[in-house]
Amino acid sequence: MIRRAPWTIGVDITPGALGLVHEIECTSCLDRSDADEERTPPEDWALNHTGRHTDHRSYRAIVTSFIRVTPAPGNPLYEEAL
């Protein structure tokens, strides 16, 4: 057990880590686009959704970012994280 050790937290830049993930949710019916690393597909989904349901005009943008906690210098696990 590590009682006290320094750690850092920040955007996950490890190989294979996802960048931002975008989704859009209709606030009228709570239907939601697929998640995508690009903004355009969820925005296209919202435009098409309003086209099918002309009274659904309000949406929630959901943007997810991924972070990672990493041992900092002075942490006994630091060498393992390199």
Side-chain angles (χ1 to χ4, degrees), residues 55-74:
D55 58 333
H56 294 202
R57 299 180 187 184
S58 179
Y59 293 88
R60 176 180 297 111
I62 303 163
V63 181
T64 304
S65 64
F66 297 87
I67 60 171
R68 186 172 192 83
V69 175
T70 307

Side-chain angles (χ1 to χ4, degrees), residues 9 12-13 23 35 37-38 49 60 63 65-66 68-70 78:
I9 188 168
D12 190 350
I13 58 170
E23 298 173 83
E37 289 190 66
E38 299 295 325
H49 186 77
R60 176 180 297 111
V63 181
S65 64
F66 297 87
R68 186 172 192 83
V69 175
T70 307
Y78 178 71

Side-chain angles (χ1 to χ4, degrees), residues 22-52:
H22 303 269
E23 298 173 83
I24 294 181
E25 181 179 75
C26 175
T27 58
S28 297
C29 70
L30 303 182
D31 199 3
R32 185 185 290 192
S33 72
D34 290 333
D36 201 291
E37 289 190 66
E38 299 295 325
R39 287 178 46 185
T40 304
E43 290 173 353
D44 289 345
W45 174 88
L47 292 167
N48 289 324
H49 186 77
T50 297
R52 290 187 311 276

